[in-house]
Amino acid sequence: MAECDKVDLVGVGLNATDTLIRVASFPERGAKVEYAGASIMPGGQVATTVIACQTWGLRTRYVGKLGDDDASRLHQAAFHKAGVEARLIRVPGGVSPQSLIIVDAGGERTVLCRRDDRMALKPEELDREWIVNSRALHVDGHDTVAATQAARWARQAGVPVIADLDETYPGVEDLIENVDYLIASRDFPCRLMDEPNLEHALKRMQARYASKLTAATLGQDGVLAWDGKRHLHCAAYCVPVVDTTGAGDIFHAGFIYGLLNDWPLDRQLDFACAAAAMNCMAAGARGGIKPVAAIEEMMKTVSRYRTALKEL
C-alpha cells in the first residue's frame, strides 16, 4: 500500500498526446487539403482537468497509465511543471494514448483517437489510499471497471465523486450509481435514458441513480443542470473561438474548483462556463487555462449568448 498525502482532488482516467492540425475547413471525403502546421501538446480528459485545478491552487493527484515513449515523457514533464502528484502505471513497450485533432477556422475540432489496449487501467492497478486521501474524485469512465472501483472507494470514504461522461460504455451504470455530480456531454443523458427531451432525461437520470446533480454541457448553449428540485441553465460567454479542444475538461475543472470552495451551484456553473470559454480563446486542451482572477474578471465584463431553455 503506497503512502500518500491528502490532496484536494484526485483524478483517475484518460491522458492523451494531442497533435493539433489547423485547416480552413474540415475536408470532404477524397479531398486533398493543405494545412499550415501541426502542434503536439499534452491533453486527455481527466489529466487536463487535474492540471487546471492545480494551476488554480488546489493540491492534486493524477492516476493513469502511460507507455515508455516520448509521449509518456511529455506528460511526466507537464505534471512535474504544474506540481501535480502523478501516480503513473508504466507499460514497457506500450504506446501512450494519442489523438489527432483537426481544428477548422471556426475553432470546432474533430478528434481521431488511438489507444493501445495495454493502456487500459485495471482495478488491481489502483491503490485505495490514492483515492480516499482526497477531498474529491474525478473520473471519465473510459476504463469503466477501474473508474467504478475508485468511485466505490470514494463513496465508502465520504469523498464526493464527479464524472465526465460522453459514451455509454459497458458497465457505465454501475459507475453512475457511485457518482455524486454527473456532468455529461449534450446527448449522453438522452441516449442513456432513451428520452429525447434533455430536461426530462436529466430528471430521470438523477432520480434513477440518486445523484446530487445531473447536468449536460451544451457548447455555445452553456450548461443545463438539475439538482433534484429545479433546472439551472447557465449561458455560455461570447468569446473569439480559436479551438474548442478541452473546453469540457476545463468546465469540469471550474465546477470542481467551485465545489471545493463551497460556492453556490449557480456560481460553480457560471465560473465553469467562463473558464471553458477562456480556454477556447487559445490552441490546445490546456492553452487557455488562466488565473482565477482573470476568469472572474471575464465573468463581469464579457457578454453571453442568448439561449432560451425551451430551445435546448
Side-chain angles (χ1 to χ4, degrees), residues 215-233:
T217 55
L218 308 171
Q220 186 174 303
D221 293 325
V223 61
L224 179 64
W226 170 255
D227 66 358
K229 296 180 180 179
R230 59 174 179 148
H231 280 105
L232 292 89
H233 174 242

Side-chain angles (χ1 to χ4, degrees), residues 119-222:
M119 291 300 112
L121 190 62
K122 301 173 183 176
E124 59 268 26
E125 293 172 321
L126 300 176
D127 190 313
R128 184 179 181 276
E129 295 303 305
W130 298 343
I131 309 304
V132 300
N133 283 312
S134 68
R135 294 175 59 210
L137 166 67
H138 181 52
V139 296
D140 58 30
H142 190 278
D143 296 319
T144 313
V145 179
T148 302
Q149 178 64 79
R152 283 175 177 153
W153 282 335
R155 175 63 64 85
Q156 292 164 4
V159 175
V161 181
I162 305 95
D164 176 4
L165 301 179
D166 52 20
E167 296 292 341
T168 53
Y169 304 110
V172 74
E173 293 190 70
D174 291 336
L175 170 60
I176 297 173
E177 288 174 354
N178 293 279
V179 169
D180 299 290
Y181 302 93
L182 174 54
I183 306 174
S185 58
R186 178 190 289 263
D187 61 343
F188 179 89
C190 296
R191 283 188 283 122
L192 181 69
M193 304 309 298
D194 193 23
E195 165 60 65
N197 182 283
L198 179 58
E199 291 181 61
H200 295 165
L202 290 173
K203 276 187 174 182
R204 289 179 55 193
M205 195 161 62
Q206 188 271 340
R208 176 181 293 181
Y209 301 106
S211 306
K212 292 182 179 179
L213 181 82
T214 53
T217 55
L218 308 171
Q220 186 174 303
D221 293 325

Side-chain angles (χ1 to χ4, degrees), residues 10-87:
V10 58
V12 178
L14 288 176
N15 62 76
T17 302
D18 297 340
T19 300
L20 267 66
I21 302 171
R22 299 199 68 87
V23 296
S25 60
F26 190 81
E28 296 181 5
R29 184 183 182 195
K32 182 184 289 186
V33 178
E34 290 189 4
Y35 66 96
S39 303
I40 299 176
M41 305 175 182
Q45 283 172 256
V46 167
T48 295
T49 297
V50 167
I51 288 280
C53 287
Q54 181 75 32
T55 301
W56 297 331
L58 298 181
R59 295 185 61 196
T60 64
R61 175 181 300 123
Y62 172 74
V63 181
K65 211 163 181 179
L66 288 165
D68 58 2
D69 48 10
D70 289 341
S72 173
R73 289 180 279 277
L74 177 69
H75 281 283
Q76 187 171 7
F79 288 132
H80 178 75
K81 181 178 180 180
V84 174
E85 177 193 318
R87 300 285 180 164

